[in-house]
Amino acid sequence: LELREEHLEIRRRANGDNHLEYAVALHNTAYLYSKLKRPEKALECETKVLAIREAKLGPKHGCTINTRRMVEDYRRAIKDTK
């Protein structure tokens, strides 16, 4: 997890907060958080991914649609744990 977060920060500094490569790094970090049973952190990352992909790819792009589904999945996971 520490290495993943370090990689995420490197991508952010190298490419900026709104770059698609940063979105991929965020998405991978969200996946790791989900596997570690930390849906709140996964949702935080994936929500940022969604904003980047909507801005760069548009709301109808396949990656954006998939990300929107992931955000909803994380929201459900959080709801189910309460």
Side-chain angles (χ1 to χ4, degrees):
L1 181 59
E2 188 176 317
L3 289 175
R4 170 56 55 198
E5 289 174 339
E6 185 178 323
H7 177 258
L8 180 63
E9 181 58 21
I10 289 168
R11 282 281 162 229
R12 188 190 66 75
R13 278 186 276 146
N15 299 310
D17 291 344
N18 295 313
H19 197 280
L20 287 172
E21 284 189 34
Y22 178 59
V24 170
L26 275 168
H27 174 75
N28 292 338
T29 303
Y31 178 77
L32 179 59
Y33 279 129
S34 74
K35 292 301 176 188
L36 294 172
K37 307 291 186 211
R38 296 177 62 186
E40 293 88 358
K41 292 294 284 182
L43 177 61
E44 181 182 324
C45 290
E46 205 68 38
T47 300
K48 292 176 185 176
V49 174
L50 181 58
I52 295 167
R53 288 182 172 166
E54 283 182 337
K56 297 291 185 179
L57 302 174
K60 295 182 179 184
H61 190 279
C63 290
T64 306
I65 292 167
N66 185 52
T67 303
R68 196 173 298 112
R69 287 181 188 138
M70 297 292 293
V71 166
E72 290 305 316
D73 288 346
Y74 293 137
R75 286 184 179 146
R76 273 192 293 280
I78 292 167
K79 205 176 209 183
D80 290 346
T81 61
K82 292 183 179 182

